Amino acid sequence: MYPDDPETIAVRDAIFDPFEYFVERKKDGLLKTQFANSLGTVSYHIPCHSRVQNMGQKTREMLEAVPGTKVNTVERCAGHDGTWGVKEEYFEKSMKIGRPVFRQMGETPHGAPDYVSSDCPIAGRHIMQGIRESGEPTAEKAHPLTLLRKAYGL
């Protein structure tokens, strides 16, 4: 919002996305990668806000680092757009916009996923609702940080 403000720049330069931080520590050899558990198949949705951060697909990269884990990545608008998709007058439109994502998340090239995940909790909830309404088998919804915790056995 204030790209030239020194205080804004100082905050920007001191903050990392959690998965951006993990990938950097992995590159430095400082991240423990002795995972206790596979995550099976994860359908991971890249939310719109992550795409504009211009940092690459760090969450996907970390999830793929867990041995025995297959990641199905979907990079498309899920249709919720913050509070827009939960408003009664826009709900049906938001579900229609999200249908391609619901299909891609609900059935991966590896079969039904074990987990459905997004860095955006609102998108994750919206996607799960769309998957359930389509009659697809329901996976467990889990934020990527929760998945990493499970992989470590914590």
Side-chain angles (χ1 to χ4, degrees):
M1 291 177 65
Y2 304 99
D4 300 321
D5 178 65
E7 291 178 358
T8 301
I9 292 167
V11 171
R12 179 202 67 200
D13 292 345
I15 293 178
F16 285 89
D17 173 87
F19 287 92
E20 181 182 25
Y21 182 79
F22 294 145
V23 167
E24 289 300 316
R25 296 303 66 86
K26 185 174 181 256
K27 286 178 185 173
D28 296 339
L30 299 173
L31 183 73
K32 293 181 180 180
T33 56
Q34 295 76 31
F35 296 103
N37 302 305
S38 162
L39 298 171
T41 300
V42 177
S43 263
Y44 167 63
H45 170 256
I46 301 173
C48 299
H49 75 266
S50 291
R51 292 192 300 251
V52 299
Q53 285 177 293
N54 199 27
M55 62 177 201
Q57 296 183 12
K58 303 301 189 231
T59 302
R60 178 195 50 78
E61 189 174 333
M62 275 306 303
L63 293 174
E64 287 177 341
V66 178
T69 300
K70 295 176 183 159
V71 181
N72 171 51
T73 305
V74 177
E75 187 173 2
R76 184 176 176 144
C77 178
H80 72 87
D81 189 28
T83 59
W84 181 82
V86 297
K87 292 180 181 175
E88 186 175 350
E89 63 267 33
Y90 305 119
F91 178 74
E92 287 304 318
K93 287 180 184 177
S94 77
M95 295 302 282
K96 182 177 180 181
I97 291 167
R99 277 192 198 110
V101 173
F102 307 154
R103 280 192 297 272
Q104 292 172 37
M105 295 288 286
E107 188 60 41
T108 78
H110 315 290
D114 298 297
Y115 296 100
V116 168
S117 190
S118 177
D119 292 297
C120 177
I122 298 170
R125 187 176 62 243
H126 187 73
I127 291 165
M128 287 301 292
Q129 181 175 8
I131 290 171
R132 279 193 298 274
E133 286 184 8
S134 71
E136 293 289 329
T138 304
E140 182 180 338
K141 179 177 73 76
H143 189 277
L145 289 170
T146 299
L147 293 177
L148 201 57
R149 179 187 56 79
K150 289 177 183 246
Y152 278 117
L154 302 174

